[in-house]
Amino acid sequence: QVFHPFSNKVPYLQIMVTKSFPSIFLILAYRFYMLEASSSSVGSCPQNTNDVSLRNIPADQIKENIAAHEKELAKQEGDYYCGPCDESYSHVPTKSFKVPRGFVLPDFDSEFRKESDDLIHVTKTPLLSEEECQDIIELTENYFLENHNGTWSNLPSGRFEIAGSWIKDIPPLRTLFNSLLKTKLFPTLTWLFPHLLNDGSDLSVQSAYIFKYTPESGEKTDMHMDSSLLSFTILLNDESEFEGGGTYFECLEEDEECSTGKQNDYHIIPMSRGHVTFRPAALRHRGQPITNGTRYVIGGFVVNRHRCEHVRQFLSRGTEALANGDTMKAQQLFDYAQLTNTKFSEIFMSLAHTKRKFNDAMGALQDYKKAFKLNPKSADAAFMVGVMYGELEKDDEALKWYQTAVSLNEYDGDAYYRQGLIYGRMGDLSAEKRMYQHAIRVQPNHADAHCNLGVCYGESGGAMVQEELACYERALTLEPNHADALQNAKAAYYHKGVAAYQAGDLEGAREAFGRILNGIAPDEPFVKQLYDAIVKRQQEHKVT
């Protein structure tokens, strides 16, 4: 559901120049609790009747969660190895990172923390050999070379797309990966999380991918949670082959061993080739931008075949209900999630999204604030509080929350962009322009920011017409049907054409009007008349 409200229209030579305003439903789709559509092998999932948190949940809802869990298991039965571990495996040492108790996991939080708060584990020595890593890269590159002319497919990650593939779709890679599951990955998981897993036969890979991060084919991902119980990430190539990258964990406190002196870099866990990070899947994280080179990564999402994650299932079912338009059912399921776990911040994000559907602005605002209180490092929660204050026409409050969002997530292009809109309404053209430039810096594919930056250049005077046009052209490259960019480009090229004609530059006028007719407004009769008249006059000049 996308709406595109115009206000703040700027007249330009009797053609309306419009600024782009964001569709909040589209932003919610980006920022919503996204659960990846993937799962694995069949198994039974007995209900834990001693779980106090489920005592207030209707029995039929518990059964539906279990059925959903088993459906996930059945969906990819046979795709990945499922069975006992290789008992001959010798465990490699790991460095562990604490997750403060304020960051509550949706399911099994107390069992994850039974012995300590060390929840993120990184191998100190390579779990995969250099040869195994190189084999994986070569198998994948050869697959795409032989089947897709060397072009990798793209996998969505929120607002971004990353070059990559599901491992199950590359047969030779799947064979090698299944061997690693049995001999190395499953044994390590059962060793690291003994209070959640009895042995390797409890484990089932819900999904697994290989990603190829480059500045061109996918530089980063949004902050998100994985839709499973456990996750692991494997770095496949040497750190000298790329710049930037790494996994940023929202929950980490400052650690001297990770710090390089840069702002917030202690959130980024370093890894070397063949090393693996193991963690609870619900820890919010993002892939950091790649600035140069290529970074190959494998990511795996794993569930316990015999234990249902009830909060995740409530959220997943509620999200599906909301997408299908059943708002009442969605709210009921999110309420059940809250009854099951009162301290998981993303539940309140989901409840707030639902209340917005009911036009309950104040209720949504309060739930977004609750989410932020439970997780004060959540840029997404801060952003949505800002959105709600904006909808309540309280720009001063909205601005503060957007500033909080970018202080927590420097790559939040939408938060910069919305600050630009507010400064525009305040009449501060310099600050408005600066915010759009920040949005583009961190999110180069932000078409609305390009469009509005063009309007700012237009409002700065005719001397910056080339910069203005470049912004509209970039917006149209990203979104060829961008309504505001089309309208604004038509106005700017028209102005440029008139100015060129008045200066006696017939060729410049012809090019400007020709650009309008070539893809911007091909059926504009008045521009067509001007273009034809200029072409005729040029021909007459040639004759004389």
Side-chain angles (χ1 to χ4, degrees):
Q1 302 180 58
V2 177
F3 71 95
H4 199 82
F6 295 164
S7 55
N8 196 16
K9 293 186 177 179
V10 183
Y12 199 131
L13 283 179
Q14 300 177 4
I15 302 177
M16 304 306 288
V17 179
T18 62
K19 293 188 179 180
S20 294
F21 288 77
S23 161
I24 189 57
F25 289 122
L26 186 57
I27 290 173
L28 287 179
Y30 291 144
R31 295 170 175 272
F32 206 77
Y33 184 88
M34 298 304 293
L35 298 169
E36 299 175 35
S38 51
S39 37
S40 241
S41 315
V42 177
S44 60
C45 182
Q47 175 186 340
N48 182 358
T49 55
N50 294 321
D51 191 341
V52 176
S53 63
L54 295 177
R55 287 181 180 174
N56 295 322
I57 305 300
D60 65 317
Q61 293 299 321
I62 294 175
K63 289 180 180 179
E64 286 196 38
N65 279 352
I66 293 170
H69 174 83
E70 292 179 344
K71 184 178 179 180
E72 283 184 346
L73 295 174
K75 190 174 181 180
Q76 292 186 8
E77 181 180 8
D79 286 335
Y80 300 104
Y81 174 77
C82 186
C85 300
D86 185 343
E87 296 182 0
S88 64
Y89 173 71
S90 178
H91 299 294
V92 300
T94 60
K95 172 176 172 54
S96 299
F97 296 82
K98 292 186 182 300
V99 174
R101 288 185 176 264
F103 288 87
V104 176
L105 299 173
D107 295 284
F108 311 125
D109 184 78
S110 60
E111 292 175 65
F112 271 110
R113 301 176 185 273
K114 194 158 188 176
E115 292 185 356
S116 77
D117 294 329
D118 293 338
L119 302 186
I120 304 173
H121 309 277
V122 185
T123 57
K124 291 183 177 180
T125 58
L127 189 66
L128 275 66
S129 67
E130 184 175 334
E131 292 74 19
E132 288 171 324
C133 291
Q134 191 60 36
D135 285 347
I136 290 170
I137 293 172
E138 291 179 359
L139 282 172
T140 308
E141 288 287 5
N142 288 338
Y143 170 82
F144 280 109
L145 183 63
E146 294 170 3
N147 295 278
H148 302 282
N149 296 319
T151 302
W152 283 51
S153 53
N154 287 329
L155 295 176
S157 178
R159 292 165 291 177
F160 306 98
E161 286 194 343
I162 309 296
S165 174
W166 302 114
I167 288 176
K168 66 177 183 177
D169 294 336
I170 306 177
L173 176 58
R174 182 179 64 184
T175 300
L176 176 55
F177 181 69
N178 281 338
S179 174
L180 293 172
L181 288 174
K182 180 179 180 180
T183 59
K184 296 183 177 183
L185 296 167
F186 279 1
T188 305
L189 281 167
T190 56
W191 174 59
L192 290 172
F193 301 101
H195 301 295
L196 287 164
L197 307 166
N198 292 319
D199 55 48
S201 60
D202 282 343
L203 292 168
S204 179
V205 173
Q206 191 188 58
S207 56
Y209 61 77
I210 181 167
F211 272 168
K212 180 180 182 178
Y213 290 90
T214 71
E216 299 78 24
S217 66
E219 56 164 348
K220 58 179 175 286
T221 66
D222 269 329
M223 188 72 71
H224 64 283
M225 297 175 294
D226 299 331
S227 59
S228 55
L229 178 63
L230 298 163
S231 297
F232 57 82
T233 305
I234 309 170
L235 179 60
L236 296 172
N237 59 322
D238 191 80
E239 295 166 284
S240 64
E241 298 175 18
F242 57 86
E243 295 176 8
T247 304
Y248 180 106
F249 287 93
E250 185 179 72
C251 60
L252 289 182
E253 302 291 349
E254 188 161 3
D255 185 297
E256 291 183 1
E257 290 189 39
C258 292
S259 181
T260 64
K262 297 181 180 178
Q263 183 181 12
N264 289 335
D265 72 326
Y266 58 83
H267 288 279
I268 304 169
I269 290 183
M271 277 202 303
S272 300
R273 183 177 194 172
H275 290 234
V276 186
T277 298
F278 299 92
R279 63 184 186 272
L283 294 177
R284 281 164 53 88
H285 60 284
R286 68 169 181 255
Q288 288 291 93
I290 287 287
T291 56
N292 189 40
T294 301
R295 185 173 187 260
Y296 293 93
V297 173
I298 278 180
F301 311 125
V302 182
V303 297
N304 186 326
R305 293 163 53 81
H306 306 114
R307 300 191 70 180
C308 176
E309 302 155 64
H310 285 283
V311 174
R312 181 171 71 84
Q313 292 299 343
F314 279 133
L315 289 171
S316 178
R317 291 168 56 205
T319 300
E320 182 179 3
L322 201 60
N324 292 334
D326 193 342
T327 311
M328 292 294 294
K329 181 179 179 181
Q331 178 156 355
Q332 182 184 54
L333 290 166
F334 295 147
D335 283 337
Y336 289 146
Q338 184 187 358
L339 285 172
T340 308
N341 185 335
T342 60
K343 296 181 180 181
F344 182 52
S345 64
E346 292 302 302
I347 295 172
F348 292 96
M349 293 289 286
S350 298
L351 283 167
H353 296 338
T354 308
K355 288 178 181 179
R356 295 193 74 256
K357 293 283 189 178
F358 286 117
N359 296 316
D360 180 5
M362 291 304 300
L365 175 62
Q366 293 307 313
D367 277 343
Y368 287 131
K369 284 188 171 182
K370 288 177 184 176
F372 186 77
K373 184 176 181 180
L374 288 168
N375 180 6
K377 290 189 177 182
S378 173
D380 291 342
F383 174 86
M384 289 310 303
V385 173
V387 168
M388 296 313 303
Y389 274 122
E391 292 187 358
L392 293 169
E393 299 182 351
K394 296 183 178 181
D395 275 353
D396 288 343
E397 287 296 320
L399 188 60
K400 293 176 185 176
W401 283 94
Y402 292 141
Q403 290 168 345
T404 298
V406 297
S407 73
L408 294 167
N409 179 4
E410 61 185 305
Y411 300 107
D412 195 334
D414 289 330
Y416 282 119
Y417 174 71
R418 283 177 167 266
Q419 289 183 68
L421 295 178
I422 293 173
Y423 284 123
R425 288 193 288 271
M426 292 177 173
D428 189 339
L429 181 62
S430 176
E432 180 184 11
K433 185 190 299 184
R434 187 169 63 253
M435 289 302 110
Y436 296 145
Q437 289 169 333
H438 280 314
I440 292 166
R441 174 179 57 83
V442 301
Q443 193 177 331
N445 64 347
H446 203 304
D448 286 352
H450 284 286
C451 178
N452 283 14
L453 180 59
V455 175
C456 288
Y457 283 128
E459 292 175 348
S460 300
M464 306 200 76
V465 65
Q466 289 304 120
E467 291 85 350
E468 178 185 6
L469 288 170
C471 289
Y472 300 145
E473 292 288 5
R474 180 56 181 161
L476 291 171
T477 298
L478 294 166
E479 295 182 22
N481 295 319
H482 193 291
D484 292 342
L486 288 169
Q487 180 79 352
N488 297 347
K490 180 171 68 172
Y493 276 112
Y494 178 83
H495 172 79
K496 182 180 180 182
V498 169
Y501 180 81
Q502 291 174 342
D505 181 6
L506 294 182
E507 181 61 22
R510 185 187 68 80
E511 289 179 357
F513 294 137
R515 177 64 184 100
I516 295 175
L517 297 172
N518 183 22
I520 293 176
D523 299 322
E524 190 70 45
F526 181 62
V527 176
K528 182 71 165 63
Q529 290 173 13
L530 289 172
Y531 179 83
D532 290 344
I534 290 170
V535 171
K536 182 178 180 181
R537 188 167 179 183
Q538 285 182 308
Q539 292 172 344
E540 290 172 350
H541 284 186
K542 287 181 180 180
V543 171
T544 58

